[in-house]
Amino acid sequence: MSRTSRYRACPLCEAICGLDLQYEEGRLTAIRGDEADPFSHGHICPKGNAILDLETDPDRLRQPMRRIGDQWQAIGWDEAFELAGRRLAQIQQAHGPASVATYLGNPNVHHFGHIAYLPALLKALRSPNSYSASSVDQWPHQLVAAQMFGHQFLMPIPDVDRTDYFLMLGANPVASNGSLMTAPGIAKRLKALTARGKLVVIDPRRTDTAEIASEHHFIRPGSDAWFLVALLQEMLAQTAPRVDAYGDKLAGLDEALAAIRAVDTQAVEQRTGIARADIARIARDFLAAQRAVAYGRMGLSTQAHGSLCQWLLQLVNLISGNLDREGGALPNDAAIPVTGPGTSPGQRDRWRSRVRGLPEFAGELPVAVLAEEMLTPGEGQVRALLTCAGNPVLSTPNGRELARAIAGLEFYVAIDVYINETTRHADLILPPASPLTQHHYDLIFNSFAVRRVARLSVPVREREENERGDWEIVDGLGTAYAAASGKPWRSLPPPRAMIAAGLARGDSGLSIEDLENAPHGLDLGPLRPTLLTRLETASGCIECAPALFLQALAEFGAEQATSAQTNTLQLIGRRDIRSNNSWMHNAPRLVKGKARHQLFIHPDDARERRLDDGARVRVRSRIGEVVTEIEVNADMMPGVVCLPHGFGHRAADSRLQRASQLAGESYNDLSDPEALDGPSGNAALNGLPVWVEALA
Ligand SMILES: Nc1nc2c(c(=O)[nH]1)N[C@H]1C(S)=C(S)[C@@H](COP(=O)(O)OP(=O)(O)OC[C@H]3O[C@@H](n4cnc5c(=O)[nH]c(N)nc54)[C@H](O)[C@@H]3O)O[C@H]1N2
Ligand SMILES: Nc1nc2c(c(=O)[nH]1)N[C@H]1C(S)=C(S)[C@@H](COP(=O)(O)OP(=O)(O)OC[C@H]3O[C@@H](n4cnc5c(=O)[nH]c(N)nc54)[C@H](O)[C@@H]3O)O[C@H]1N2
Ligand code: SF4
Ligand SMILES: [Mo]
């Protein structure tokens, strides 16, 4: 029997593990971690294996589908492109460019054929109603990088392999595999860290990461800015800012520190649940460590003070002398640059949303306004939608309302591989061929990796004659839209040529042939300090005190410590090693075994409500309610309950045979589109007030 190994980067999460795909007689039969990958060293998680399920999933679409009423019909590619191009152009001609909205979901970042080609299509559409999953995720990180360093992607990455003290807030990399910190096999890296130094986790739940940490502190959801201000105050009481290395490249430091000193943090323990003495000790340990780094992820950005938190974190790294320093936080100078000439630095407020008047960031509006832009009549109302690799009905605030809004549109075209909760409303679905048939290079994740690495993934099999690659679909749509609208359209070359051109823009000296000759990927060494020479602010300095954040801090400092509304609990999210946002619940390998959808609740909170483990409860927020089961769980902070997102695949809502059998409700049927991080407009999904009561 002929057995061959073919190698590729895993397209399912930010860890970008090297995979060893084993083919027998031309059939994919097994997937292993690629032992020869110099970055992932053979690491693989259950999702990597589940690619086997994705490849053979009978529900996966393989040709364009048109919906007539509730019937789906397969149609040809040319007809599909023509229909989509014509309808989008017609609607814009009748109602203006804003009448077509776009939403790009998470998997776009994992496919070169999406991320490198979609910008041209968005540019042709010229709609202010451009949305993505970024505004339910990492906008605060991008905004802070843009404001302080001059570019949204000039993002300092925690140097996990060389740090001695890692202060981690609102992240659970042992389950998520790391985020804005591409680090395959992160659990191993963190265990190595705790053997030589300390990992301190701040999280309202004792997570899988907290389990392996040196120290874990519960924190009240949404109160991290209090913790960080107090931490900075303690640091400043213990040492003068260690900023000599930044020379004359610092602007506004005194102003920022004065504003931070002025905040009254006497009530910090009451607000956060963490004792002042513990904060003082964390400050001391952080400063005493040879190399230290503070890092915060989803729990820190998708909350009411996301931007403030991310700014304060940068200042912790800065004044302790750990910004742009080995073992601290430093940006990756990747082989294909995502900063510098020809890239988008992350401007803000060039236009505003029509209904609520929220500012644009990086060319997009916050997705929390998408439903109201569809439902509110008037000039500029959204009447048509294009989604690519997104499931906003399950992923964005008040998903039920958004579903209602999408159902009422004049036209909706989705580039997607499934008929799910969102795409079931589409008039037309254009499914790309398997990513395994396409060239790929991780534009973004190589730039957020904890080492300098580069890897080209080449097709491991040919796409079928009647399939289209992701980039071919974007090109087909662009061509048809241009023909119908009379706008110009220039087709881009295939991915291999685009990747080669990207490499030529960088200064790594690598060519596409070098990458082709290294099927397991290349390790180019550890992170190195480049931030100071790459600053793109107008002043050429690190801007320590952007007006946006000073203002947010002043408003925040004036906030009264409110006692919680009667009987409410605070809802937070969670990820499981077997989940991938909303879209992999159809993979048998990932859904077998115990249920994972339950609402976690602390024993005291359960007792108070007379709830036994497994009880069915009604969970109610300002905007909606769901009915689900609880798991009484002592790993929760009292007063906090926890529900994973991405569930709620009702049979009637999708054509996903397996997922629709799965118990569990959608977190985002509860989340509130009014709850936002002020400066960025990012959704504050975590820390949501909810009522939990027994189902009568
Ligand atoms: N309450 C709550 N909500 C959250 C979060 C949370 O923690 N809590 N997390 C947020 C975060 S961080 C994110 S990133 C978002 C994700 O939000 P989304 O990106 O909107 O949702 P996904 O679940 O990633 O859906 C991916 C979609 O892409 C399709 N797809 C999969 N592979 C491909 C492909 O190769 N090509 C194409 N064209 N389509 C494909 C899937 O069928 C699915 O429709 O959710 C956010 N929502
Ligand atoms: N298995 C799996 N892996 C994934 C994904 C997935 O769905 N499943 N999604 C991928 C995506 S798109 C992303 S963006 C990343 C996210 O990567 P992470 O941010 O590492 O993942 P989360 O599990 O959302 O971790 C957020 C943590 O914040 C905590 N938290 C909630 N509210 C607060 C708060 O107010 N303060 C503090 N300090 N903590 C809080 C939660 O308890 C949780 O442990 O994961 C990626 N990897
Ligand atoms: S950790 Fe992420 S990249 Fe690695 S195998 Fe799992 S899903 Fe794929
Ligand atoms: Mo995300």
Side-chain angles (χ1 to χ4, degrees):
M1 194 176 299
S2 76
R3 174 186 276 240
T4 49
S5 272
R6 295 168 201 170
Y7 305 101
R8 273 188 80 97
C10 175
L12 295 174
C13 95
E14 294 181 38
I16 59 170
C17 299
L19 299 180
D20 172 349
L21 302 146
Q22 310 207 330
Y23 282 79
E24 278 173 40
E25 319 274 310
R27 221 164 46 84
L28 179 62
T29 52
I31 301 179
R32 300 198 189 133
D34 179 3
E35 300 286 344
D37 182 301
F39 192 31
S40 63
H41 305 289
H43 181 74
I44 188 170
C45 82
K47 283 190 283 181
N49 276 305
I51 290 174
L52 285 162
D53 292 342
L54 295 181
E55 286 293 292
T56 52
D57 189 342
D59 293 333
R60 194 188 193 287
L61 303 179
R62 296 169 200 275
Q63 51 191 325
M65 300 296 282
R66 181 179 190 178
R67 184 176 56 83
I68 313 276
D70 56 7
Q71 297 298 309
W72 290 93
Q73 263 173 20
I75 64 170
W77 284 103
D78 292 343
E79 191 189 346
F81 290 141
E82 193 279 331
L83 171 67
R86 177 165 45 82
R87 293 293 287 133
L88 295 175
Q90 274 173 349
I91 290 167
Q92 281 190 323
Q93 271 150 18
H95 304 287
S99 59
V100 172
T102 54
Y103 173 85
L104 310 185
N106 170 273
N108 285 294
V109 195
H110 295 277
H111 302 298
F112 190 86
H114 284 91
I115 195 172
Y117 292 80
L118 285 159
L121 183 59
L122 298 189
K123 197 168 163 213
L125 287 167
R126 286 183 62 85
S127 171
N129 281 303
S130 171
Y131 301 86
S132 81
S134 294
S135 57
V136 279
D137 188 349
Q138 78 285 355
W139 259 15
H141 295 255
Q142 287 172 249
L143 180 65
V144 166
Q147 297 273 319
M148 292 184 78
F149 312 128
H151 199 290
Q152 58 177 333
F153 297 135
L154 206 42
M155 241 183 245
I157 305 303
D159 193 357
V160 59
D161 295 337
R162 290 187 295 176
T163 199
D164 304 305
Y165 189 95
F166 195 138
L167 176 62
M168 182 182 290
L169 297 95
N172 184 14
V174 171
S176 73
N177 295 304
S179 179
L180 299 181
M181 170 177 66
T182 285
I186 184 70
K188 232 186 210 170
R189 294 173 199 262
L190 292 176
K191 282 177 190 156
L193 161 63
T194 55
R196 71 174 178 270
K198 254 185 156 187
L199 169 65
V200 177
V201 170
I202 313 281
D203 198 297
R205 181 166 72 94
R206 192 178 306 113
T207 59
D208 324 54
T209 306
E211 281 304 329
I212 63 163
S214 325
E215 208 175 301
H216 165 240
H217 300 268
F218 286 120
I219 190 165
R220 293 229 156 80
S223 73
D224 301 77
W226 287 108
F227 169 83
L228 290 166
V229 169
L231 181 72
L232 280 161
Q233 290 176 344
E234 290 294 340
M235 286 183 158
L236 292 168
Q238 294 174 25
T239 181
R242 298 173 180 170
V243 293
D244 290 351
Y246 310 108
D248 58 2
K249 295 265 185 183
L250 284 187
L253 182 62
D254 293 342
E255 201 185 340
L257 298 184
I260 286 160
R261 283 196 182 94
V263 179
D264 176 359
T265 55
Q266 279 185 73
V268 69
E269 178 167 355
Q270 183 200 338
R271 292 183 195 261
T272 62
I274 304 179
R276 184 99 208 179
D278 283 328
I279 300 175
R281 189 179 44 77
I282 292 171
R284 215 164 29 245
D285 292 352
F286 198 101
L287 291 171
Q290 276 274 332
R291 292 145 205 283
V293 67
Y295 158 87
R297 206 36 207 101
M298 275 295 286
L300 213 61
S301 32
T302 53
Q303 57 140 293
H305 302 294
S307 295
L308 203 50
C309 287
Q310 295 298 344
W311 171 59
L312 295 166
L313 264 188
Q314 299 300 337
L315 292 177
V316 169
N317 288 330
L318 176 82
I319 68 159
S320 63
N322 287 295
L323 183 66
D324 206 30
R325 174 172 179 245
E326 290 170 10
L330 53 179
N332 189 315
D333 53 327
I336 298 187
V338 292
T339 62
T343 62
S344 159
Q347 286 158 299
R348 181 180 175 278
D349 206 6
R350 288 168 293 177
W351 65 88
R352 293 197 163 212
S353 72
R354 176 181 62 108
V355 179
R356 228 190 291 178
L358 294 183
E360 156 268 357
F361 172 60
E364 293 177 20
L365 292 170
V367 71
V369 309
L370 181 52
E372 72 201 28
E373 292 297 330
M374 292 174 172
L375 292 169
T376 313
E379 208 182 308
Q381 182 182 2
V382 171
R383 293 161 187 273
L385 177 66
L386 162 71
T387 63
C388 183
N391 190 6
V393 167
L394 290 195
S395 305
T396 72
N398 203 353
R400 255 183 218 149
E401 176 91 332
L402 184 61
R404 185 168 78 82
I406 294 176
L409 293 174
E410 288 177 27
F411 183 71
Y412 166 24
V413 54
I415 306 177
D416 208 289
V417 290
Y418 287 117
I419 300 175
N420 61 24
E421 300 73 20
T422 304
T423 60
R424 76 183 182 110
H425 298 291
D427 298 281
L428 184 63
I429 306 182
L430 309 171
S434 160
L436 301 183
T437 64
Q438 302 297 315
H439 277 91
H440 174 66
Y441 177 93
D442 280 293
L443 222 42
I444 294 293
F445 302 124
N446 282 316
S447 303
F448 296 158
V450 300
R451 287 186 72 85
R452 291 181 300 119
V453 289
R455 174 182 199 137
L456 176 74
S457 293
V458 300
V460 297
R461 66 170 172 87
E462 300 258 312
R463 71 159 168 75
E464 304 289 331
E465 177 60 31
N466 60 347
E467 292 181 320
R468 294 290 175 274
D470 38 16
W471 66 280
E472 293 173 294
I473 292 175
V474 179
D475 186 55
L477 254 182
T479 306
Y481 169 77
S485 63
K487 292 181 184 176
W489 178 258
R490 196 169 60 88
S491 294
L492 293 168
R496 186 184 178 281
M498 292 276 281
I499 296 167
L503 287 168
R505 279 196 294 111
D507 53 14
S508 69
L510 290 172
S511 67
I512 189 100
E513 289 80 13
D514 294 332
L515 295 187
E516 278 168 340
N517 291 331
H520 306 285
L522 288 173
D523 180 54
L524 309 172
L527 296 176
R528 49 191 185 185
T530 58
L531 179 65
L532 294 187
T533 55
R534 292 165 66 197
L535 293 168
E536 294 186 40
T537 49
S539 62
C541 293
I542 297 175
E543 290 293 347
C544 299
L548 260 181
F549 307 144
L550 285 183
Q551 194 197 327
L553 182 67
E555 287 164 12
F556 162 81
E559 261 179 30
Q560 298 300 311
T562 50
S563 49
Q565 281 170 283
T566 348
N567 215 16
T568 56
L569 297 166
Q570 281 183 291
L571 182 65
I572 61 167
R574 73 170 178 271
R575 286 174 157 77
D576 182 272
I577 191 86
R578 292 187 137 74
S579 73
N580 201 8
N581 295 318
S582 75
W583 74 275
M584 286 187 69
H585 286 142
N586 216 42
R589 281 177 173 79
L590 299 183
V591 293
K592 62 178 190 222
K594 69 174 171 58
R596 300 181 180 89
H597 67 277
Q598 294 91 336
L599 180 83
F600 289 176
I601 184 168
H602 187 272
D604 294 350
D605 294 319
R607 207 170 305 122
E608 207 172 285
R609 290 167 180 72
R610 299 171 188 283
L611 298 171
D612 295 325
D613 192 32
R616 276 174 78 71
V617 293
R618 187 188 315 279
V619 188
R620 200 158 44 83
S621 72
R622 187 184 76 83
I623 64 114
E625 60 177 58
V626 302
V627 171
T628 190
E629 291 83 44
I630 60 161
E631 178 177 317
V632 177
N633 190 316
D635 289 333
M636 292 309 301
M637 184 178 194
V640 184
V641 285
C642 175
L643 193 71
H645 74 289
F647 283 83
H649 318 277
R650 283 170 215 87
D653 285 6
S654 73
R655 297 289 175 104
L656 303 173
Q657 293 174 49
R658 205 169 281 262
S660 62
Q661 301 304 311
L662 209 60
E665 294 297 317
S666 176
Y667 188 117
N668 290 315
D669 285 348
L670 298 166
S671 55
D672 188 338
E674 302 277 339
L676 301 176
D677 164 50
S680 69
N682 200 57
L685 303 166
N686 284 295
L688 183 75
V690 292
W691 291 265
V692 177
E693 58 219 9
L695 204 62

